[in-house]
Amino acid sequence: MNTKALIAGAVCLVVGAGAGYFGASHQFSEEHEFCTEYSGFFDVYTEIKESYLKDISTLNKTRIEEEMVKGFVSGLDDRFSSYRTNEEVETSIVNSAPSTVSSGFSVERDYKTKMIKVVTVEDGSQAEKMGLCADDLITAINGTEVTADNYCDVVEMLLGKDKTHMDLQIRRGSQELAIDFERVNNGEDESKKINSRMLENNIGYVEFNAFSSFLTGGVGYFTDEMEKLENESELKGLIIDLRKNHGGASTEPIAIFDYFADSGSKTWDEDKNGNISEEMFTTDGVEYDMPVVVLVSGNTYSSAEKLTALFQSTKRGTIVGTQTGGKGVYQDQIPLEDGTAVTLVQGYYYVNDVPNFHEIGITPDIVIDMDEELIGTDKDIQLKKAIELLS
């Protein structure tokens, strides 16, 4: 149901609007249920209407509605569910689009100046090469003045095809600058999410920073890294480092695990009604028949925990590190009719016969506590233990 219609309808019901206003009886029933369960809201509404200094008819009703819905979703007490206003949805669109992601900058509305502000510029990015800096204010694009009030238009103007140009007028402090900005529209470099190297005693090391949004692309990068390692030397063992991996594509873990295991394992997602989706199985044949150690930490979440559970439940690998983060749920962003969006947790992850690990995490086979700042340094005792186990 449209969120604004829900709230507006509920208010109208309380102040005496007839049932005919709501149309179908099912909709009326939902409105009545809302009014009954959240009657405290209407008590506050009445007090504000009668006692508040200002005339509430002059207030920004959109802003009030947005804050009300944010509060409702926040009240779910679920850190993985959220509500995005129209503005936040638009900001997400422009800042996650290939032409801005790969060009290395992000923007937001600046309410102090009522202009569009550059928030971040990544080191070595196209944006930095083109001369953009954090806190720059974009005053015009291709000769058209832009402000926070026409943010939707700014979104469309910033996006574009690879190797196309846009003329940016920038205000930097007291300076007014002109930048002929060339877009770089290559998308996010998925290969940066995985890297590998050969360690001592012919032990391979593969680090996943995240799982690709594109199943075949992510698995393809993994097999590329494995091929590099195998071409360098005959592998006696493999370390898979998931200590900085917050997850990603939920189907990717079993697709990767399938290279190490025969048939008999599966992963699936299940909602509150028992509906199953994303069900996947391992297949016959083992591509990489070698001992494996998986490194995990409190920053190992979601799909990374799926892969951890696959190796542990089948005893195909040894898990080393600290308790994982415990995100055993999946969520989806649902667009609403007014341009806003709500992200809601919709179900649980499952791996073989492993109990769901949400808010619990996965306990390693070998627990080694270590300051996470030491990961990748000479004092990385978790990595040293992994090497010891495979040597």
Side-chain angles (χ1 to χ4, degrees):
M1 177 181 290
N2 185 319
T3 306
K4 289 187 175 181
L6 177 66
I7 296 172
V11 171
C12 289
L13 177 61
V14 169
V15 298
Y21 174 82
F22 298 98
S25 60
H26 175 70
Q27 183 176 357
F28 172 78
S29 176
E30 286 190 344
E31 307 290 2
H32 183 268
E33 180 182 351
F34 180 88
C35 295
T36 302
E37 291 190 9
Y38 302 101
S39 58
F41 161 77
F42 300 103
D43 293 338
V44 174
Y45 170 77
T46 301
E47 288 301 326
I48 290 175
K49 187 175 181 181
E50 293 179 356
S51 307
Y52 184 51
L53 175 64
K54 298 179 182 179
D55 180 0
I56 64 172
S57 66
T58 64
L59 300 179
N60 185 329
K61 292 181 176 58
T62 299
R63 172 76 182 277
I64 292 174
E65 281 185 334
E66 289 175 347
E67 293 301 321
M68 286 165 55
V69 179
K70 276 187 177 182
F72 190 96
V73 177
S74 176
L76 299 176
D77 197 23
D78 187 327
R79 59 183 171 141
F80 302 114
S81 295
S82 62
Y83 171 76
R84 286 183 176 182
T85 65
N86 187 277
E87 173 187 333
E88 290 166 341
V89 171
E90 292 164 356
T91 297
S92 175
I93 290 172
V94 67
N95 289 338
S96 62
S99 59
T100 49
V101 169
S102 57
S103 295
F105 72 97
S106 63
V107 298
E108 69 178 13
R109 283 173 170 157
D110 183 55
Y111 287 101
K112 184 177 181 180
T113 62
K114 296 185 178 180
M115 303 185 75
I116 307 300
K117 181 172 72 174
V118 177
V119 185
T120 60
V121 174
E122 296 180 10
D123 292 340
S125 66
Q126 174 75 353
E128 184 181 61
K129 294 174 184 177
M130 293 284 96
L132 276 184
C133 294
D135 295 327
D136 281 349
L137 298 174
I138 301 176
T139 59
I141 303 176
N142 296 331
T144 301
E145 181 180 338
V146 295
T147 66
D149 293 332
N150 56 356
Y151 191 77
C152 290
D153 296 331
V154 176
V155 169
E156 295 182 6
M157 296 167 75
L158 285 175
L159 306 183
K161 295 182 179 179
D162 189 29
K163 303 301 181 183
T164 58
H165 289 250
M166 56 180 168
D167 295 324
L168 298 181
Q169 294 295 318
I170 300 296
R171 181 176 300 164
R172 183 178 300 160
S174 60
Q175 294 180 288
E176 297 288 340
L177 307 171
I179 297 178
D180 179 15
F181 193 99
E182 181 181 17
R183 298 180 180 90
V184 176
N185 194 3
N186 298 318
E188 187 174 0
D189 188 353
E190 298 292 334
S191 65
K192 292 180 180 179
K193 295 180 178 178
I194 179 173
N195 64 75
S196 67
R197 64 179 186 272
M198 186 67 75
L199 304 178
E200 58 192 81
N201 301 324
N202 289 357
I203 296 171
Y205 171 89
V206 176
E207 179 186 28
F208 281 98
N209 292 318
F211 288 122
S212 168
S213 300
F214 309 97
L215 177 60
T216 55
V219 174
Y221 285 124
F222 170 70
T223 55
D224 287 347
E225 296 299 319
M226 289 297 294
E227 184 177 353
K228 291 176 187 176
L229 292 171
E230 290 184 317
N231 288 339
E232 188 172 338
S233 180
E234 182 179 353
L235 287 174
K236 294 184 178 179
L238 181 69
I239 297 171
I240 298 177
D241 194 342
L242 303 177
R243 291 178 292 179
K244 298 180 180 179
N245 192 316
H246 288 182
S250 64
T251 54
E252 189 134 322
I254 197 164
I256 292 171
F257 181 70
D258 196 22
Y259 283 91
F260 296 89
D262 221 321
S263 59
S265 289
K266 71 173 182 176
T267 63
W268 71 98
D269 300 348
E270 186 172 326
D271 68 17
K272 65 180 181 181
N273 298 316
N275 298 314
I276 292 175
S277 61
E278 302 286 5
E279 188 175 27
M280 294 185 68
F281 302 84
T282 52
T283 58
D284 290 334
V286 177
E287 181 75 16
Y288 304 126
D289 188 11
M290 63 188 74
V292 176
V293 172
V294 180
L295 295 176
V296 298
S297 75
N299 282 320
T300 304
Y301 285 101
S302 191
S303 297
E305 291 176 284
K306 265 191 173 183
L307 184 56
T308 301
L310 283 164
F311 274 103
Q312 187 177 61
S313 64
T314 58
K315 302 187 184 303
R316 183 62 186 85
T318 303
I319 315 302
V320 174
T322 56
Q323 194 83 358
T324 62
K327 181 183 182 293
V329 294
Y330 65 92
Q331 67 272 11
D332 191 21
Q333 178 172 290
I334 305 166
L336 303 177
E337 294 177 10
D338 56 5
T340 62
V342 60
T343 298
L344 295 176
V345 168
Q346 296 184 320
Y348 293 95
Y349 290 143
Y350 289 99
V351 175
N352 292 331
D353 58 355
V354 178
N356 179 264
F357 46 81
H358 188 58
E359 302 293 359
I360 300 171
I362 298 171
T363 303
D365 300 310
I366 301 175
V367 176
I368 299 179
D369 291 324
M370 187 186 81
D371 189 330
E372 292 180 2
E373 292 183 359
L374 298 178
I375 292 176
T377 70
D378 293 337
K379 298 181 180 180
D380 190 340
I381 57 176
Q382 294 172 341
L383 178 59
K384 289 179 179 180
K385 183 63 177 180
I387 295 172
E388 176 190 324
L389 291 170
L390 295 173
S391 295

